[in-house]
Amino acid sequence: MNSNLVTKIAGIVILVAVVTGSAVFFLKKKERDMVVTYSTSDAGGLKGEVSVVLDSWIGYFPLRSTVFGNLMREAGYRVKVIDDHADYPRRMAMLKKGKVDFAVCTVDSYLLNGKAAGYPGIIIAVLDESKGGDAAVAWKERVSDLNGINTKKDLKIAYTPASPSEHLLKSLSVHFAIDRLKGDRSSWSVEVDGAEEAYRRLADREVDMAVLWEPYVTEALEIPGIVKLIGSEDMEKLIVDILLVNRNYARNNPEVVKLVVRSWFETLEMYGAAKDRLENDIVQTVRTPRDGVRAMLGGVRWLSFPENARWFGLNTASAHVSPELIESITSTAGILVDIGDFSRNPLPDGDPYTIVNSGFIAALESDPSLKQYAGEPSGNSLAKKFSKLSDGQWKRLRVVGSLRLRPVSFRSGTEALDENGKEQLRLIVDSIRHYPNYRILIKGHTGLRGDQEENRKLSSMRAESVRNDMVHAYGIDPNRILVRGMGAAEPLPRRDDESDRSYNNRLKRVEVLFMTTM
């Protein structure tokens, strides 16, 4: 071998050794310096650090609060909070790679963005539900109810993609059969970067409708002519925030995970007993005016520890029924499939239990640091009680929207539901579960043929049959429901190239509408 070449190689080897040795020396020195730093300060008792990735949604504030941080530090752990500005794909990638230990998101964003990362986290707590924090608002002259979204020409809707606003639109599309919101969005969609921009475009009449979150919902409704079409205060289990932990971290550090969950609920209890402190802490942390903070707080409902036990199906009141968390996941998966985000349930084997771990909530059931309540309500939204209304009061209600029309069928010539009709009614009731505050109007319709008075009577009996099944099979309060037999008085528009027989069969239907006060 050439002697010059040998000399060069030897020089390189020596250089690498020197550089490597220097790196090791400085790394060792850094470690030694860290040990000295910790051992000579109040940080000396630290056992480690836990990291959580989140965004600015008010429901996540307790995790970034000094109360939560102090509780964790008292137990020997420092909390590192990372704000990724709602970049959900990045959030899932970080969780998968173990760059963060915990992550928060909505159920829908986890189902939608977690698949590409192999669903790297398990749900260990339900943090909150949006209760008025999100809403669809519009100029009344353009759209006065949800049905108008389908019929109004040249409609423009502003919303923030990959946010609860988009999921609210998806839910409305599926539950109320607003077909315009499916498929090609180019005719109506105006994508914006946050609720502030959506609000501005609505206020400037650049769009007819906007999906917003607080405090911009409140600000929009202060403008004369803008109305709320629907808000999350009238929804149930649709916009739900959850706490995730990396699967490997949960396996290797179960006591730390339990500590995080316990500290979360202790933080909620402390703030619940000192609401002024919560408000003050948020004002100082997020630098938002106090009125705006109050509007945001009015739109979120944190779930207590006993409610979590119920949502995970751990208390006696929820025995023998599907846990509410499982219901929320299953329903959300159905919405994402129906809207076209997935061709089938995206979860492994379509099983919602593969992303849930109730063990950490169960481990805290006897923890003396948490409030324990016996007899927590069942959470069955269908069981809500309503006052009885007079005919005049019913007439003063406004229509919110018509639920998705399903082929509720009856035994020929009778008002008795057949087996397919009962299954279609079950699907209707599944949608009703998500909207517990609305009154229900059931309209029966017939085809155009035959005696009109007999048609009206038959349609009334069939609508009454649906009402009876809702009351007796599903426990819906009879005071909540009004029945109307329309006969052939309200025929559907005829489709192009539709045969007489097909059209007449489509007219024989049961329509379910939501009603609320003006």
Side-chain angles (χ1 to χ4, degrees), residues 101-153:
D101 308 316
F102 298 85
V104 292
C105 60
T106 54
V107 169
D108 63 281
S109 65
Y110 188 44
L111 294 188
L112 195 58
N113 297 283
K115 181 176 173 57
Y119 294 109
I122 46 175
I123 303 172
I124 54 174
V126 181
L127 303 183
D128 66 80
E129 275 194 278
S130 174
K131 286 295 180 183
D134 300 88
V137 298
W139 288 102
K140 186 176 181 179
E141 65 193 46
R142 292 287 289 160
V143 185
S144 59
D145 58 49
L146 296 177
N147 292 340
I149 299 174
N150 260 339
T151 58
K152 186 65 66 175
K153 292 182 179 180

Side-chain angles (χ1 to χ4, degrees), residues 15 29 78 89 104 136 163 184 187 199 287 290 293 324 344 357 476-477 491 494:
L15 179 61
K29 183 178 185 301
R78 181 171 50 198
V104 292
S163 76
D184 182 16
S187 65
Y199 161 77
R287 304 299 180 186
R290 194 168 296 274
V293 169
E324 291 170 66
R344 58 187 178 86
N357 188 324
I476 298 178
D477 188 345
R494 190 160 181 164

Side-chain angles (χ1 to χ4, degrees), residues 166-328:
E166 183 174 21
H167 187 64
L168 189 149
L169 280 176
K170 291 177 181 179
S171 301
L172 297 181
S173 174
V174 171
H175 293 153
F176 295 89
I178 307 176
D179 295 334
R180 185 183 213 152
L181 301 180
K182 292 185 178 181
D184 182 16
R185 300 183 175 189
S186 60
S187 65
W188 60 267
S189 173
V190 178
E191 295 188 0
V192 298
D193 184 16
E196 182 177 7
E197 184 184 349
Y199 161 77
R200 181 186 58 75
R201 287 181 177 245
L202 181 70
D204 292 344
R205 291 185 177 267
E206 295 177 20
V207 297
D208 308 291
M209 173 180 159
V211 188
L212 310 172
W213 55 79
E214 290 289 12
Y216 300 103
V217 174
T218 297
E219 291 189 25
L221 294 177
E222 291 174 351
I223 300 175
I226 291 181
V227 296
K228 182 186 289 188
L229 303 180
I230 195 167
S232 60
E233 71 273 16
D234 293 316
M235 300 176 179
E236 191 95 348
K237 301 180 181 67
L238 280 178
I239 302 177
V240 179
D241 286 292
I242 52 176
L243 177 62
L244 300 165
V245 62
N246 172 278
R247 292 178 184 269
N248 290 329
Y249 190 89
R251 186 182 303 112
N252 298 328
N253 305 278
E255 290 304 313
V256 181
V257 177
K258 193 168 93 170
L259 171 65
V260 168
V261 175
R262 184 175 69 240
S263 298
W264 164 264
F265 290 115
E266 287 182 343
T267 300
L268 293 188
E269 290 181 7
M270 287 184 182
Y271 276 136
K275 291 184 171 59
D276 287 344
R277 179 179 178 182
L278 171 62
E279 190 176 293
N280 290 334
D281 284 358
I282 295 174
V283 168
Q284 293 174 14
T285 303
V286 303
R287 304 299 180 186
T288 298
R290 194 168 296 274
D291 288 346
V293 169
R294 287 172 179 165
M296 289 188 288
L297 286 174
V300 61
R301 190 178 77 82
W302 285 291
L303 271 67
S304 67
F305 176 75
E307 288 175 301
N308 264 261
R310 191 190 74 212
W311 272 65
F312 279 88
L314 297 175
N315 64 0
T316 54
S318 57
H320 311 301
V321 297
S322 181
E324 291 170 66
L325 177 56
I326 299 301
E327 285 183 0
S328 179

